[in-house]
Amino acid sequence: MKKTSTRLADGRELIYYDLRDDVVRDAVDRRPLERTVTTSEIRQDVLLGDSVAVASHRQGRTYHPPADECPLCPSRDGRLSEIPDSSYDVVVFENRFPSLAGDSGRCEVVCFTSDHNASFADLTEEQAGLVLDAWTDRTAELSHLPAVEQVFCFENRGAEIGVTLGHPHGQIYAYPFTTPRTALMLRSLAAHKEATGGGNLFDAVLEHELADERIVLQSEHWVAFVPYAAHWPYEVHLYPRRRVPDLLGLDEAARTEFPKVYLELLKRFDRIFGEGEPPTPYIAAWHQAPFGTLDEFDGVTRDDFALHLELFTIRRTSGKLKFLAGSESGMSVFINDVPPEAAARRLREVASS
C-alpha cells in the first residue's frame, strides 16, 4: 500500500491509498472553495447520560445529485469533484459537512472505488484488503488526536438507510467520548468479569454461538453468526477468532483472510430476498475499543474488548422495511419480525457460487 496525503482547496485533508507503489498523486484541487466553517457542538443529555451532536450546517449538504455530478467520482472531462485526480483506488478525506469537527472530533469519508456503479461486494479481494488497510491506518492516525476517544468505521448503503450519495463509500467518525452502545458493552464486560472471577464475556458469547445453529459461515480466522438476541431482521456479527481490541490488533493471517469472508457475506446479503430484488440496504459497523481511559468500567481494559463487525439490513421481507416505531424509538426495546435461527438458515441457503 502507498499512502499519499494532500490538501483540498478549502484546507481539508485528502489521502490516496494505492495498490501500486509507483503511482504519483500530484493533482491539485482547482475548485474556488472557501475554508469550511462548521458549527458542531456536543451536548450532554443529563437524564440518559449520552451525548448529542448538534450540527446545523449539515442542512446544506449535497443531496442525491445525478450520477454525472457525483462529488465522489474522480475529476474528469472538465468536471471537478472532491477527488482532484482522474482515478483512484481508495480515497479518504475530511467530510465537507461533518457532524463532528475540531474539539468535537472528526468525520471522514472513505471512497471504496472510483467506479460509481459498483458496490463493496463488487470489489476484488485485493481492493477490499486495501479498504481494510485504510480503515486500520485511519484508526491509528485518528486515535492520536487529542479530542478523539473512539474511532468508528462504517458503511451505510441504500437510500432506505438515508444515504444521500449513491457512490460506494463509507465514513469514519472519531468521537470525543465513548459511545453509549460501547459503554453498555463495557459495563456488561465488567459485570461478567466480576461474576466469573475474570472471565471474558466476548469469549463466552463466541463460544456459545459456535455451539449453536446460528452460524452463517466460518473460516480459519473469522466467524460470522446471527446473534441470539438479534435486533434486526437480518443481522450478522463477524468476529476474528483471536480476540483483539481494534483493527490494529489483527495479525497478518486474519487480515489476509478478511476480504474473502467479508465479500462472501455481502454477496449473501444481496441474495436474501431473491433474484430481481433491488440491492439490499445495509449498515456495516466496526466496533472497536475506545482509546480513552476505561476507569469507570471496573477492572476492564482495552484488551478485554473484542473487535467485531455488525452487518444488518432494515428490510424485513421483500418490499417491506423494519421501521423503528414506538417501542424501538420511544423505549429502545426492539421487536424482531424474523427469528434469528430462520435468518441464519436463510443466509446459509444463499451461499454465493
Side-chain angles (χ1 to χ4, degrees), residues 40-44 49-54 98-107 142-152 172-180 182-183 289-294 296-297:
S40 296
E41 176 189 359
I42 302 295
R43 297 187 180 184
Q44 186 82 13
D50 58 13
S51 300
V52 176
V54 180
S99 303
L100 310 166
D103 292 339
S104 298
R106 175 156 157 154
C107 292
L142 292 170
S143 71
H144 294 305
L145 297 180
V148 173
E149 189 165 311
Q150 186 171 4
V151 179
F152 176 47
I172 302 175
Y173 277 21
Y175 297 101
F177 50 79
T178 297
T179 62
T182 303
F291 288 95
T293 176
L294 300 182
E296 63 181 292
F297 306 105

Side-chain angles (χ1 to χ4, degrees), residues 44-66:
Q44 186 82 13
D45 185 322
V46 296
L47 290 178
L48 297 179
D50 58 13
S51 300
V52 176
V54 180
S56 59
H57 62 276
R58 284 173 53 79
Q59 289 282 31
R61 67 189 185 273
T62 308
Y63 187 80
H64 292 301

